[in-house]
Amino acid sequence: MRMRKVKWATDYLPTANCLVKEPSKQAGNWKKLMGTDTLHIEIGCGKGNYSLDMAKMYKDTGFIAIEKNESAAGIAAKKYDEDTEDKHLKLIQDDASSIGEWFGPREVDVIHLNFSDPWPKKRYAKRRLSSSSFLDQYKRILSRNGEIQMKTDNSALFEYSLIEFQNAGFKMVEVSVDYRREKHDEDAITEYEQKFISLGQPIYRCVWRYMHD
C-alpha cells in the first residue's frame, strides 16, 4: 500500500540534521564521517524505527537508513534528530537503485533488507531488492566478511531470493523459516515484524556472505 503524503514530514526532511543530501560524495568516507569502524545500511527503512533501535544498541557501529518515500523518510528523520545526538546514524532519501554509487568498494559490513516490497508480478521482478541488478551492486560495496541479512513475511519473495543469491555467488550462512520462535535480543524488531508476530505469522530470515576473490 502506497503511503499517503504527510506534509509536515516532507517539509521537515530537507532541514534534517541526519540527512545526507549527496551520498555519492561520501563514497569511501562513511566510517570516517561517522567515527566508527563498522558500517551497517538498511535499505527501505520506512519510518525508521529499526535503524534507530539498532543504533541505540550498538553505539560503536555506523548506521545509514535508506528510504525513497519522502513522507516516510521525513518521519524517520525527525525521530533520528530528536531521539539521538549521535553522529553514527544517518539517512539517505533516494531510490536504492543507485546504491553502488554511494559507497566505496568493500565499505559496507552489513546490509539489512527488512520486509522489502515483494513486487509480486513477474514483470516487476527487477525492482526486488534481491534481484540480480541489486546483488551486483551489493557485491561491490560489501566488505570481505560482509553480510546481507534479510527478513520477510513473504514466502514467495524468500524463495525467489534464495535462488537469486545462490546464482549470484553468495554463500548462505544462516536460514530460518520461523526466526522469532526464539528470542533474538541482538536484533531489533521492526514495526512490520511486530505486527506479524502478533498475528502468529512466521518470519523468514536468511544471512548471506559474498566470498571475494
Side-chain angles (χ1 to χ4, degrees):
M1 182 181 295
R2 186 179 298 274
M3 182 177 178
R4 64 179 178 83
K5 184 174 181 179
V6 181
K7 188 176 186 305
W8 71 260
T10 57
D11 288 346
Y12 179 83
L13 184 62
T15 70
N17 293 326
C18 63
L19 182 68
V20 180
K21 295 181 180 179
E22 297 182 87
S24 60
K25 290 187 176 181
Q26 297 298 334
N29 196 49
W30 288 101
K31 292 177 181 178
K32 183 178 179 181
L33 173 70
M34 305 173 98
T36 63
D37 294 325
T38 307
L39 182 65
H40 288 223
I41 63 176
E42 181 189 9
I43 305 176
C45 73
K47 297 176 184 177
N49 289 347
Y50 181 79
S51 284
L52 178 60
D53 290 343
M54 291 291 281
K56 289 179 177 179
M57 289 168 60
Y58 300 98
K59 298 287 188 180
D60 296 327
T61 298
F63 286 88
I64 300 173
I66 301 168
E67 176 55 49
K68 66 180 179 181
N69 182 280
E70 284 186 307
S71 293
I75 292 170
K78 197 165 193 298
K79 290 177 184 175
Y80 295 171
D81 285 350
E82 291 181 348
D83 290 0
T84 179
E85 296 180 356
D86 295 324
K87 295 181 179 180
H88 72 296
L89 176 59
K90 299 293 184 184
L91 176 72
I92 296 173
Q93 190 275 308
D94 207 338
D95 191 303
S97 59
S98 301
I99 194 168
E101 301 173 9
W102 304 339
F103 301 94
R106 303 191 182 184
E107 185 173 22
V108 177
D109 298 295
V110 180
I111 297 173
H112 298 273
L113 304 178
N114 292 320
F115 302 91
S116 308
D117 191 329
W119 293 103
K121 294 182 179 179
K122 285 187 177 181
R123 66 176 181 271
Y124 295 135
K126 65 181 181 181
R127 299 184 186 180
R128 297 169 188 162
L129 294 179
S130 51
S131 68
S132 60
S133 61
F134 282 98
L135 298 184
D136 287 343
Q137 296 187 75
Y138 302 158
K139 287 191 284 189
R140 178 180 173 274
I141 66 176
L142 273 175
S143 63
R144 187 171 295 276
N145 295 310
E147 294 184 346
I148 298 179
Q149 301 178 7
M150 177 183 181
K151 289 187 290 187
T152 182
D153 65 302
N154 189 290
S155 60
L157 177 63
F158 192 65
E159 292 165 0
Y160 166 87
S161 301
L162 292 176
I163 299 298
E164 289 295 302
F165 275 94
Q166 176 180 283
N167 289 344
F170 284 82
K171 178 183 178 181
M172 182 192 301
V173 293
E174 292 181 34
V175 65
S176 176
V177 294
D178 192 3
Y179 180 58
R180 292 298 179 181
R181 66 180 170 228
E182 299 175 353
K183 288 190 67 177
H184 290 279
D185 293 334
E186 77 284 359
D187 184 45
I189 297 176
T190 75
E191 180 182 1
Y192 279 107
E193 193 170 7
Q194 187 57 63
K195 179 178 71 173
F196 298 129
I197 292 170
S198 300
L199 293 172
Q201 296 180 7
I203 305 300
Y204 305 98
R205 182 179 185 268
C206 202
V207 179
W208 291 273
R209 291 190 186 132
Y210 181 67
M211 312 309 289
H212 289 282
D213 296 332

